Amino acid sequence: MTKGYVYLVGAGPGDPKLITVKGSECIAKADVLVYDRLASRRLLTLVRPDCELIYCGKSPDRHTLRQEEINQLLVDKGLEGKIVTRLKGGDPFVFGRGGEEAEALLDAGIEFEVVPGITSAIAVPAYAGIPVTHRDLTTSFAVITGHEDPTKNETTIHWDHLAQSHGTLVFLMGMANLPLIAEKLMANGKKATTPVAIIQWGTRPEQRTLVGQLDTIAADVKEQGFTNPSIIIVGEVVTLREKLKWFEKKPLFGQRIVVTRARHQASELSLAIEALGGEAWEFPMIEIVPPTDSSYLTKAVSDLKGFQWLIFTSSNGVEGFFAELKNQERDVRDLAGIEIVAIGPATKVALEQRGLRASFVPEEFRAEKIIEGLSGRILSGQRVLLARAEEARDVLPESLKARGVEVWDVPVYKTVIGAANRGELQQMLREKEIHAVTFTSSSTVRNFVTLLDGDVSLLKGVLLYSIGPITSATAQELGLTIFKEAAQYTISGLVEALLEGK
């Protein structure tokens, strides 16, 4: 039997974008992913659909698997010939026990590779505005375990050297021993007034920081309720925090926001949220697929010369229409003489990318405004090709027909329920991990409620944002209360609503 291969991958401190390029590649190629509690769950979206996921999370008071069992699991899966990615929070060789796992694999004759990760010892202070070194304050830093092996007879930490050092001291996994750490440092000569910072859940929306001094920090931590996972930073660099803190200053800091758009469209909104300090979770509620019956589209495209107007109500409609145009070996020259309408800026851009300029874009991006704006321009007896979603509202075609216009209402795509993870979404809502949800169409609202199994009580305390009045009306019909509606019915308008609603 061919032996497998094991990657020991550092996932970084919590922000999923701090994974390395190589680390993400190892996740994508894995047959088996073995991950712990400090690795962001968003990284699990990088796996193949057939990848086996094994959780082996460990916390100070509870272990899903003991380290010896994790070692054996990696060996067993390797012996099965699998490509195994062991995803560990931080860096696998910085108090990650990756060395022990590597030794077990070596003893079993299984090839392995170590993919370093960004350790929390430097990343977490950086996100709190604390550089571990600074030319004016210190030229060195030390990373120390705050939780030594309990089976050892004596400590191997040289407290006297640490206390007398002018370098920054970073203690990992030390919250339970914080009183002892402070006592040992002061007993060996560290000033009681030495600045100390405690950073909990660093680089994540839950990040919070407590600054104090060595003689009172343990009492401060107890009063403020700081717990694991936290890191302890001792040294003069802590004084730079107020000046250099940047993460918490971002306008959407602390917000975990659900993006419900189709996966191929979600990135624009997700990137905007994360640039503003929020954490975007993509739960695609819709997927764009070909229409149930494409014969109407085929016939319409084959007879383009018979139309005076072509109306697009979304960028998806543009994409579906041009796919059929290409399929029939036609191009934009076949649209010569046809007036083209785009419902909004995104649709307008989609047309411009294909070398076309819209004759009309309404000031307000909905069907009613197209009718109003084209009054007197589209004449009775003219033929209009309306290229849009299969399940779209009847307002536009019926209003045009009432004006004596011949309307070909042609479905160029349809939306179906997306591939969002129902179980994970419901779990995050139950655990109050989600702060806001964004809806970009009526379909995203309907499918969202479906994924909640109709239990809208899960949204208690969650702020709901809508891209426009049609989407808001659908939400209201389904028992949801929209907290804020975008003034401009675009993604940028939705982002503005998020900023105003914070």
Side-chain angles (χ1 to χ4, degrees):
M1 181 182 293
T2 303
K3 291 180 182 176
Y5 200 92
V6 178
Y7 295 96
L8 303 176
V9 177
D15 181 341
K17 289 197 171 182
L18 293 182
I19 186 77
T20 63
V21 173
K22 188 167 186 177
S24 63
E25 291 173 350
C26 292
I27 296 172
K29 71 173 69 171
D31 298 315
V32 182
L33 185 75
V34 181
Y35 64 102
D36 66 28
R37 78 181 184 112
L38 295 182
S40 171
R41 295 204 307 272
R42 286 171 67 196
L43 294 175
L44 304 186
T45 62
L46 301 178
V47 300
R48 300 197 319 258
D50 60 342
C51 179
E52 180 183 4
L53 301 178
I54 302 175
Y55 176 67
C56 62
K58 294 189 291 184
S59 60
D61 59 345
R62 178 168 49 87
H63 290 187
T64 303
L65 294 177
R66 292 181 293 107
Q67 186 60 51
E68 294 76 11
E69 293 174 316
I70 296 173
N71 295 350
Q72 190 59 50
L73 173 65
L74 299 178
V75 168
D76 291 344
K77 292 298 180 180
L79 291 174
E80 291 175 14
K82 302 291 181 65
I83 296 176
V84 182
T85 294
R86 167 70 169 113
L87 193 62
K88 305 168 74 69
D91 180 273
F93 276 14
V94 179
F95 302 132
R97 305 190 74 171
E100 298 170 45
E101 294 171 358
E103 287 180 306
L105 293 166
L106 183 65
D107 291 343
I110 298 169
E111 289 188 272
F112 66 89
E113 189 171 330
V114 179
V115 181
I118 301 175
T119 174
S120 61
I122 58 173
V124 169
Y127 268 58
I130 302 172
V132 292
T133 64
H134 189 283
R135 189 167 65 172
D136 295 335
L137 299 174
T138 181
T139 55
S140 64
F141 70 97
V143 183
I144 310 110
T145 178
H147 183 72
E148 283 192 278
D149 185 344
T151 63
K152 294 196 302 187
N153 294 323
E154 58 184 33
T155 181
T156 56
I157 297 176
H158 298 288
W159 293 103
D160 53 340
H161 293 169
L162 293 176
Q164 293 162 28
S165 167
H166 292 292
T168 304
L169 306 180
V170 182
F171 291 88
L172 305 184
M173 306 170 294
M175 289 301 286
N177 292 326
L178 178 59
L180 176 63
I181 291 169
E183 178 187 325
K184 287 284 190 182
L185 289 173
M186 288 187 292
N188 284 274
K190 206 75 169 172
K191 289 182 180 178
T193 56
T194 302
V196 182
I198 309 295
I199 308 167
Q200 184 179 26
W201 287 117
T203 79
R204 293 166 47 114
E206 296 87 352
Q207 176 177 305
R208 60 178 186 148
T209 304
L210 174 64
V211 173
Q213 59 186 47
L214 203 54
D215 60 344
T216 58
I217 194 64
D220 294 342
V221 160
K222 187 174 182 180
E223 181 183 342
Q224 296 294 324
F226 275 65
T227 59
N228 280 304
S230 296
I231 72 167
I232 304 162
I233 307 166
V234 181
E236 294 301 318
V237 290
V238 172
T239 61
L240 294 170
R241 169 173 158 74
E242 281 306 309
K243 183 191 299 184
L244 300 182
K245 63 181 181 182
W246 57 273
F247 187 39
E248 295 102 319
K249 287 184 175 180
K250 292 200 170 192
L252 293 181
F253 167 72
Q255 300 292 299
R256 187 173 283 112
I257 301 169
V258 169
V259 174
T260 57
R261 296 190 91 191
R263 191 174 299 282
H264 75 285
Q265 295 176 316
S267 61
E268 180 186 357
L269 180 54
S270 296
L271 289 171
I273 289 169
E274 295 187 342
L276 294 166
E279 184 176 277
W281 277 71
E282 294 181 3
F283 285 97
M285 293 296 146
I286 60 173
E287 182 181 348
I288 307 302
V289 299
T292 304
D293 184 353
S294 60
S295 62
Y296 298 103
L297 176 59
T298 301
K299 185 175 181 181
V301 170
S302 67
D303 187 30
L304 288 173
K305 296 299 182 185
F307 296 99
Q308 286 78 49
W309 292 85
L310 173 56
I311 300 177
F312 292 103
T313 59
S314 72
S315 58
N316 289 320
V318 175
E319 291 177 14
F321 178 85
F322 273 84
E324 178 61 27
L325 199 67
K326 181 179 179 181
N327 186 54
Q328 294 192 27
E329 297 184 347
R330 294 169 176 263
D331 56 35
V332 292
R333 290 172 294 182
D334 292 281
L335 300 176
I338 301 177
E339 299 278 2
I340 298 176
V341 176
I343 197 169
T347 309
K348 176 174 176 282
V349 168
L351 288 167
E352 289 173 347
Q353 289 172 343
R354 292 163 173 84
L356 293 173
R357 186 178 297 277
S359 303
F360 174 70
V361 181
E363 291 183 5
E364 194 174 321
F365 315 132
R366 53 191 177 120
E368 289 83 348
K369 291 299 178 180
I370 290 180
I371 298 163
E372 183 181 312
L374 292 178
S375 179
R377 296 181 63 180
I378 295 184
L379 306 177
S380 176
Q382 288 188 320
R383 297 176 78 203
V384 174
L385 173 54
L386 179 55
R388 61 184 195 147
E390 185 172 306
E391 64 281 355
R393 296 185 303 146
D394 293 330
V395 172
L396 184 53
E398 293 303 321
S399 297
L400 289 170
K401 288 175 184 177
R403 288 167 167 75
V405 176
E406 182 183 344
V407 180
W408 280 44
D409 186 6
V410 176
V412 296
Y413 70 94
K414 71 174 179 178
T415 59
V416 297
I417 195 161
N421 187 318
R422 180 192 303 259
E424 184 170 40
L425 175 62
Q426 292 189 13
Q427 178 187 348
M428 292 180 72
L429 286 168
R430 287 193 189 96
E431 295 178 1
K432 306 299 181 185
E433 294 181 341
I434 292 172
H435 304 98
V437 178
T438 59
F439 295 116
T440 53
S441 68
S442 292
S443 297
T444 62
V445 180
R446 285 191 290 268
N447 293 346
F448 188 86
V449 173
T450 297
L451 259 67
L452 297 188
D453 296 317
D455 185 5
V456 296
S457 68
L458 288 171
L459 293 171
K460 184 177 181 180
V462 178
L463 302 181
L464 307 182
Y465 293 80
S466 161
I467 200 168
I470 305 304
T471 303
S472 298
T474 301
Q476 188 173 0
E477 289 170 9
L478 294 172
L480 305 184
T481 300
I482 295 298
F483 175 70
K484 188 167 279 292
E485 180 181 290
Q488 187 180 42
Y489 314 150
T490 62
I491 294 303
S492 59
L494 190 56
V495 172
E496 286 299 319
L498 285 167
L499 290 171
E500 293 168 4
K502 185 177 181 301

